[in-house]
């Protein structure tokens, strides 16, 4: 099942990124689809890491390293798609406030990118305690941004 889910997610992301990333977004709906696909992948790998740091899943150093690398890579992708005019409307959880407070939103996005980089570097050391601490930093960053800029 894990391979199937990976394949589906990878297919969605590659199709979305391949069609939109370098060409920009023709419509607000394109931007919404792109960032939704990216956030789905982020959520999947974040969830796997959460299961490890909370003890629900046994620690597997290779799996944790893989998840942190995917998280680090994906952390750089969705932000421009959040600033496309009109993409705060429709099938999205993004609040219009994100565009009104672009500097604050983008600063939080950059913090997430930096925390994701640090988590990936920390994971290389294989120390679950250190990984857990850094994961907590990212979780706090996510919560702060989602509280401020996401309709829950």
């Amino acid at each position: 099942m894990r391979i199937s889910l990976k394949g589906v997610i990878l297919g969605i992301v590659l199709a979305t990124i391949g069609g939109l990333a370098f060409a920009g977004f023709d419509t607000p709906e394109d931007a919404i689809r792109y960032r939704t696909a990216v956030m789905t992948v982020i959520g999947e790998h974040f969830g796997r890491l959460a299961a490890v740091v909370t003890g629900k899943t046994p620690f597997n150093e290779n799996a944790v390293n893989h998840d942190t690398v995917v998280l680090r890579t994906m952390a750089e992708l969705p932000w421009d798609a959040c600033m496309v005019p009109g993409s705060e409307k429709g099938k999205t959880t993004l609040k219009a406030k994100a565009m009104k407070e672009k500097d604050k939103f983008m600063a939080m996005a950059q913090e997430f990118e930096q925390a994701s980089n640090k988590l990936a570097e920390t994971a290389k050391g294989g120390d679950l305690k250190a990984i857990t601490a850094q994961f907590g930093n990212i979780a706090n960053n996510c919560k702060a941004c989602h509280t401020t800029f996401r309709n829950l």
Side-chain angles (χ1 to χ4, degrees):
M1 182 74 176
R2 188 172 183 175
I3 292 173
S4 297
L5 182 57
K6 278 185 185 179
V8 169
I9 290 172
L10 181 60
I12 290 169
V13 170
L14 290 177
T16 302
I17 291 171
L20 300 173
F22 299 108
F25 305 101
D26 292 331
T27 67
E29 291 78 17
D30 289 344
I32 292 169
R33 277 192 296 277
Y34 176 85
R35 70 177 181 244
T36 299
V38 172
M39 289 297 191
T40 298
V41 175
I42 288 172
E44 174 66 28
H45 290 273
F46 192 84
R48 292 178 189 182
L49 292 166
V52 171
V53 302
T54 60
K56 293 179 182 171
T57 301
F59 176 61
N60 176 311
E61 188 174 346
N62 289 333
V64 167
N65 276 305
H66 171 77
D67 290 331
T68 61
V69 168
V70 171
L71 187 63
R72 177 183 63 200
T73 302
M74 301 306 284
E76 299 177 6
L77 299 178
W79 315 120
D80 289 337
C82 294
M83 295 295 115
V84 173
S87 71
E88 75 284 7
K89 302 171 187 156
K91 191 175 179 180
T92 183
T93 58
L94 182 69
K95 290 181 181 178
K97 181 179 184 177
M99 290 185 194
K100 292 175 186 165
E101 298 180 21
K102 180 181 178 179
D103 290 343
K104 181 177 179 181
F105 178 82
M106 295 305 272
M108 289 179 132
Q110 186 173 29
E111 288 172 16
F112 176 68
E113 289 178 35
Q114 291 169 348
S116 297
N117 282 329
K118 188 167 183 178
L119 179 61
E121 290 303 312
T122 301
K124 288 179 185 177
D127 179 354
L128 181 57
K129 193 178 271 191
I131 293 166
T132 300
Q134 185 56 34
F135 180 85
N137 292 336
I138 292 177
N140 289 335
N141 174 269
C142 291
K143 182 178 179 180
C145 190
H146 287 185
T147 299
T148 306
F149 295 114
R150 184 177 182 206
N151 291 312
L152 302 174

